[in-house]
Amino acid sequence: MTVEALLRRAPTAAVFGPRDDPTFRSALVGHLRALGFATYELAMGPTARDTLHAARATPPDTALVFVDYAPGAYHLVALLAAVLRWKAQGRFVVICRGAGAFASARQRLAYAAVRAIADLELAIREPAALIGTWPRGHLPRPSWLSGVWPRRRAESPLAALLRILRCPECRGSLTYDEGGLRCRSCGRIHPVVDGIPILVPEGVVAQVEEDEHAYAAGDAYACGAEANRAWLEIGLWKRDRVAALLRHGVPRASIDVGCGDWGVHHDVFDAVGSELAVAGDVSLKLVRHARDHATAPHRVHYLVFSAETLPFADGIFDLAYCSEVLEHLEHPERALAEIARVARGGRAILTVPNEQVTGKLEVGHIQTFGFDDFTALVDRFLERRRTLGVFRWAVSDVGALSQTLAGTIRLKWLLLTGEHAPRRSLSILVDGRLRP
């Protein structure tokens, strides 16, 4: 009964624990996911910087925060600041207290302050026992973003998609056939690899697989984040702006066009869509990586598809998200036409790098967008409601900003001012309504 109440109230949870001892943290994450929670895991080091970064990186749809605590594991003043931040954001904070004596009276006093602010303290034990004995009178608030998800899983994820899937060659309907999907019209069989349908036209080549050495695993914003966190902060800022745009309009069905292998923006789209959420990319390698690192893989249908030939029936989605994709395409207008077709009359959130300001950021960027040509392109397909910038471009060495206090303050200032100066920003973000 208590577990069911938790699942109804807070299906998205974050679990934080000491970097040098992942045992309990990993076990709790596995148990929460088995129950149906979307779960985000982050190891924290002993420094104040590590702890504060963990609080900053918490995904925006998180309603429930578990902290695996043992004396001496963290910088306690920073942990106090992190708990204050989580509470100010409306999250429910649970301290999972392990055995161990405090090294000093100051440490004991700091923990007492943390405990007073947190919502609940539970003694560390087996994860099943920890959740099973949750006090009935202590429940988190509903999550504003992911709380709309019902707790159910289809026997076959593909079965739920068949009625809306279409052949990328002829737009015919699909059916199961010999471990793949066969088009009823042209007869082509599309393979299903590791549970992921491959729905791309003949001859389509994934650029990232042709030029694999140029792409690091994981999110581009997070590369080198342990050494400097300026780029990661820019990615988190963009993630939070997108989440804020969705705060008062969680869609029924969403599609992430070009989800990539993993990224901070995907923290939002792991949970968007009260009935249907789809994510895909042209590379099986990227899609498999995204699914395997998702906080809630059972909530999202992952497919391989080309942005220029989306394998879906017309008007299926009421939100389309396409971030840092159009610059990779020979014909970005075709991708926008496809987005407008599958989400006709719905909402679109689009972002591209502003490389007329920054210069080329990647060799794989075929298009070089600036503010005027990008907005002229998207205006052909949607009515813009907001046009925002992400990070005002005023320095060539972005990474250096995170290495000093003055640089960190300047980074925040450039993020704030960049939102209202999209012509001079690193990325341009457009939010609008697709034309019917």
Side-chain angles (χ1 to χ4, degrees):
M1 179 177 177
T2 305
V3 170
E4 293 297 326
L6 279 173
L7 285 167
R8 286 196 300 271
R9 299 297 292 272
T12 303
V15 180
F16 298 95
R19 183 177 295 155
D20 58 355
D21 185 9
T23 308
F24 177 76
R25 181 182 77 244
S26 298
L28 181 57
V29 167
H31 182 66
L32 290 170
R33 287 183 175 172
L35 291 173
F37 283 79
T39 310
Y40 177 88
E41 177 182 6
L42 187 66
M44 293 193 294
T47 68
R49 186 184 177 101
D50 290 327
T51 307
L52 294 174
H53 166 65
R56 175 70 184 94
T58 308
D61 62 316
T62 303
L64 182 59
V65 176
F66 290 92
V67 179
D68 172 11
Y69 175 79
Y74 313 119
H75 188 289
L76 268 174
V77 174
L79 180 61
L80 177 62
V83 172
L84 283 169
R85 182 182 185 120
W86 284 322
K87 290 300 298 174
Q89 293 168 336
R91 310 185 200 279
F92 192 94
V93 182
V94 180
I95 305 296
C96 301
R97 170 76 186 276
F102 293 108
S104 65
R106 181 180 179 183
Q107 195 177 71
R108 185 181 299 107
L109 182 63
Y111 178 77
V114 169
R115 172 63 193 90
I117 297 167
D119 295 278
L120 194 62
E121 180 186 53
L122 297 174
I124 284 184
R125 60 188 83 187
E126 287 299 315
L130 183 82
I131 303 300
T133 57
W134 189 288
R136 296 189 179 195
H138 292 75
L139 289 176
R141 299 174 184 173
S143 168
W144 64 267
L145 182 58
S146 66
V148 298
W149 272 88
R151 188 193 177 206
R152 63 170 183 261
R153 301 186 193 187
E155 280 188 23
S156 171
L158 282 179
L161 282 183
L162 273 179
R163 63 181 181 81
I164 66 170
L165 289 179
R166 296 294 181 268
C167 174
E169 298 282 4
C170 68
R171 300 209 191 282
S173 58
L174 302 175
T175 184
Y176 285 116
D177 190 289
E178 299 178 0
L181 299 175
R182 182 176 60 84
C183 175
R184 296 176 186 269
S185 298
C186 68
R188 181 183 172 190
I189 295 180
H190 303 274
V192 178
V193 179
D194 193 20
I196 299 172
I198 313 295
L199 295 169
V200 294
E202 292 282 359
V204 170
V205 177
Q207 178 198 68
V208 69
E209 291 176 356
E210 274 195 326
D211 201 16
E212 187 173 342
H213 66 279
Y215 293 87
D219 179 32
Y221 283 110
C223 290
E226 289 305 313
N228 75 76
R229 291 182 171 138
W231 280 105
L232 180 57
E233 176 61 27
I234 291 171
L236 292 170
W237 184 277
K238 186 177 81 167
R239 177 202 71 179
D240 292 345
R241 296 287 75 70
V242 173
L245 293 175
L246 296 170
R247 183 174 291 274
H248 301 295
V250 176
R252 175 192 56 81
S254 74
I255 180 170
D256 186 346
V257 178
C259 65
D261 53 354
W262 187 242
V264 290
H265 66 283
H266 199 60
D267 292 343
V268 177
F269 281 83
D270 247 6
V272 168
S274 58
E275 297 179 15
L276 175 68
V278 171
D281 206 290
V282 74
S283 165
L284 174 62
K285 175 185 174 182
L286 298 189
V287 173
R288 183 186 276 133
H289 192 282
R291 182 195 63 183
D292 293 347
H293 289 77
T295 57
H298 61 278
R299 291 184 181 175
V300 183
H301 296 280
Y302 289 93
L303 298 88
V304 172
F305 55 67
S306 167
E308 297 178 11
T309 52
L310 297 178
F312 302 98
D314 297 353
I316 293 300
F317 304 100
D318 49 8
L319 171 66
Y321 180 65
C322 185
S323 178
E324 318 293 315
V325 173
L326 298 175
E327 67 275 12
H328 291 274
L329 305 178
E330 289 278 4
H331 303 284
E333 70 280 358
R334 294 180 186 174
L336 289 172
E338 282 291 275
I339 288 171
R341 179 182 63 81
V342 301
R344 185 170 295 138
R347 186 179 184 184
I349 298 176
L350 314 169
T351 82
V352 297
N354 188 1
E355 290 184 323
Q356 285 188 0
V357 170
T358 66
K360 279 291 183 187
L361 295 172
E362 286 186 20
V363 295
H365 290 179
I366 298 171
Q367 307 295 331
T368 301
F369 286 113
F371 179 86
D372 292 326
D373 51 357
F374 177 60
T375 53
L377 175 63
V378 299
D379 285 349
R380 292 163 51 187
F381 301 94
L382 57 80
E383 298 172 3
R384 276 187 293 143
R385 294 184 173 180
R386 301 173 188 85
T387 304
L388 306 175
V390 178
F391 184 75
R392 183 177 175 86
W393 192 259
V395 292
S396 56
D397 187 3
V398 175
L401 291 175
S402 64
Q403 296 173 11
T404 64
L405 176 60
T408 302
I409 294 171
R410 190 180 183 200
L411 172 65
K412 294 290 186 181
W413 172 248
L414 292 172
L415 285 165
L416 282 166
T417 57
E419 186 165 332
H420 304 288
R423 287 182 179 275
R424 297 294 307 168
S425 293
L426 168 70
S427 292
I428 306 165
L429 186 154
V430 166
D431 176 23
R433 182 69 55 182
L434 293 159
R435 294 192 173 88

